[in-house]
């Protein structure tokens, strides 16, 4: 994908239409050299001075980035919170069933089986485990508004079970590469890009919102051009068992691409909190859990460090095309600058 984006940035699309490759002379005035008489040189210079101005270059990538917005997002009930009593107690996985399947059918030891899911007094519910699911619910609610009933984490949890993306027993029968958002919305919204930054794994450098070309590209877009595209951010540890977390980059974040601490729509934001909420707020909130705090400390995780980025967009179904153009154009430029 990076190679394709760089190729786009340097493609002939950026050349001016009608751009000359050499020197082009203006036609002589009537009765000039074409008639065998060179005429008054001043007349020739006068004609040259009246040549049309050079072609003005129009960058189609710039047109994508700065074109008119298509819609306005409604944040009136955002963010969805995991702790919302409407869905917080709903079970995603039943730990007892998962352990039984792992030991009885998959041949795992009891110790290995118990490591697959953290044990919570209330169970493995949306409130305890559903940050990614809640983010996906927000993606659908924002990009496909007006549904009745509206998209919620509860709706998506039910479809996740129905489609065998995950079940209370841990059974999953999806294809190897799958997209719950796409299946649930019949392709109207899809995950179209994904990057993983593997925190604390091997030689991977730490990545932040202001160093990720993909995040920088999104934040360089005018706010009104983000209405068809949403970014889900992974923070915390590489392993998802306990100490990773997911949130949405707020489409109305105005910090600019050089800011390391963007506004987010965070499932972990307390129900009674209001006002701008940022990556550092999210880190402070979730590391109140001693297990998460210890895992972050062990791996040297920074409060604003990113573990990955997922990009979702609406599709023009009738044309078979996504609405990703503005982000791709901005991303190509960021990749070209950071190559």
């Amino acid at each position: 994908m990076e190679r394709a984006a760089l190729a786009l940035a340097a493609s002939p699309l950026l050349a001016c239409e009608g751009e000359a490759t050499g020197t082009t002379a203006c036609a002589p005035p009537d009765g000039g050299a074409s008639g065998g008489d060179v005429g008054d040189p001043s007349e020739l210079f006068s004609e040259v001075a009246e040549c049309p101005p050079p072609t003005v270059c129009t960058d189609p990538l710039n047109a994508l980035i700065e074109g008119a917005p298509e819609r306005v997002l409604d944040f009136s009930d955002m963010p969805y919170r995991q702790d919302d009593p409407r869905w917080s107690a709903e079970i995603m996985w039943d730990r007892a069933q998962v352990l039984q399947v792992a030991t009885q059918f998959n041949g795992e030891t009891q110790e290995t089986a118990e490591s697959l899911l953290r044990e919570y007094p209330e169970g493995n519910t949306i409130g305890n485990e559903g940050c990614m699911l809640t983010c996906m619910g927000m993606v659908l609610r924002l990009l496909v508004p007006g549904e009745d009933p509206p998209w919620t984490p509860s709706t998506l949890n039910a479809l996740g079970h129905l489609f065998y993306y995950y079940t209370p027993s841990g059974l999953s029968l999806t294809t190897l590469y799958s997209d719950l958002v796409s299946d649930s919305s019949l392709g109207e919204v899809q995950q179209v890009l994904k990057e993983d930054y593997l925190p604390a794994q091997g030689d991977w450098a730490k990545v932040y919102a202001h160093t990720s070309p993909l995040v920088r590209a999104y934040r360089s877009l005018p706010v009104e051009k983000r209405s068809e595209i949403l970014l889900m951010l992974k923070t915390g540890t590489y392993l998802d068992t306990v100490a990773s977390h997911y949130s949405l980059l707020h489409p109305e974040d105005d910090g600019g691409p050089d800011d390391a601490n963007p506004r987010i729509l965070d499932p972990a934001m307390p129900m009674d909190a209001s006002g701008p909420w940022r990556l550092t707020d999210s880190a402070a909130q979730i590391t109140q859990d001693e297990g998460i705090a210890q895992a972050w400390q062990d791996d040297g995780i920074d409060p604003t460090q990113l573990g990955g980025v997922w990009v979702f967009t609406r599709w023009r179904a009738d044309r078979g095309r996504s609405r990703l153009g503005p982000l791709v154009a901005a991303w190509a430029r960021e990749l070209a600058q950071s190559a």
Side-chain angles (χ1 to χ4, degrees):
M1 178 61 74
E2 179 171 330
R3 183 184 303 172
L6 286 170
L8 176 60
S11 74
L13 287 173
L14 299 182
C16 301
E17 184 177 356
E19 185 174 40
T21 57
T23 302
T24 303
C26 297
D30 292 342
S34 59
D37 182 359
V38 297
D40 185 344
S42 65
E43 294 180 1
L44 178 59
F45 293 141
S46 175
E47 183 68 21
V48 171
E50 295 172 1
C51 285
T55 303
V56 176
C57 184
T58 299
D59 182 346
L61 296 186
N62 192 61
L64 276 174
I65 293 172
E66 297 184 357
E70 296 187 33
R71 46 197 260 117
V72 176
L73 297 178
D74 175 13
F75 299 101
S76 58
D77 56 350
M78 295 284 107
Y80 282 156
R81 272 83 156 184
Q82 289 173 252
D83 290 339
D84 192 312
R86 290 177 293 176
W87 50 70
S88 62
E90 291 186 15
I91 292 291
M92 296 181 69
W93 296 276
D94 184 310
R95 191 168 185 270
Q97 291 184 25
V98 171
L99 266 61
Q100 180 182 359
V101 170
T103 54
Q104 184 175 345
F105 297 103
N106 293 348
E108 302 288 359
T109 65
Q110 185 69 22
E111 181 181 7
T112 298
E114 290 178 354
S115 71
L116 297 176
L117 281 177
R118 187 179 183 181
E119 186 174 7
Y120 294 94
E122 310 86 4
N124 298 90
T125 62
I126 292 177
N128 288 323
E129 302 269 27
C131 55
M132 178 188 282
L133 183 77
T134 303
C135 285
M136 290 180 175
M138 286 192 280
V139 167
L140 288 166
R141 157 63 181 79
L142 288 169
L143 296 184
V144 193
E147 295 294 303
D148 187 17
W151 286 106
T152 67
S154 179
T155 305
L156 207 53
N157 186 46
L159 290 174
H161 288 166
L162 180 66
F163 296 158
Y164 279 89
Y165 273 78
Y166 59 93
T167 59
S169 68
L171 179 65
S172 173
L173 292 174
T174 61
T175 55
L176 187 59
Y177 292 98
S178 55
D179 184 347
L180 176 58
V181 169
S182 177
D183 282 347
S184 298
S185 66
L186 297 178
E188 189 171 353
V189 179
Q190 299 181 30
Q191 176 188 300
V192 288
L193 290 174
K194 181 177 184 289
E195 291 191 339
D196 292 303
Y197 305 134
L198 279 62
Q201 304 300 305
D203 296 329
W204 277 85
K206 292 185 177 183
V207 177
Y208 304 89
H210 69 294
T211 64
S212 162
L214 185 53
V215 179
R216 286 183 59 86
Y218 184 79
R219 299 178 78 196
S220 73
L221 293 174
V223 170
E224 60 270 16
K225 293 301 294 182
R226 305 173 192 172
S227 62
E228 305 286 357
I229 306 164
L230 293 174
L231 268 59
M232 183 169 71
L233 306 178
K234 178 179 179 179
T235 54
T237 61
Y238 171 63
L239 296 177
D240 286 331
T241 307
V242 174
S244 64
H245 186 60
Y246 296 86
S247 61
L248 294 186
L249 181 57
H250 200 305
E252 293 187 349
D253 167 73
D254 58 359
D258 294 324
D259 170 38
N261 194 22
R263 288 179 61 191
I264 56 174
L265 296 169
D266 185 10
M269 186 177 181
M271 291 294 295
D272 59 355
S274 60
W277 187 264
R278 302 183 182 278
L279 284 179
T280 48
D281 299 309
S282 180
Q285 177 67 23
I286 67 175
T287 55
Q288 293 181 45
D289 182 302
E290 293 182 0
I292 294 175
Q294 187 63 55
W296 281 40
Q297 181 178 328
D298 292 345
D299 281 357
I301 303 298
D302 295 335
T304 57
Q305 183 178 346
L306 300 183
V309 181
W310 285 252
V311 181
F312 297 88
T313 188
R314 295 204 315 146
W315 274 70
R316 295 181 172 93
D318 58 336
R319 297 173 59 188
R321 301 182 62 175
S322 80
R323 300 173 186 263
L324 195 63
L327 179 61
V328 170
W331 189 34
R333 289 181 175 173
E334 284 292 337
L335 288 173
Q337 292 173 15
S338 60

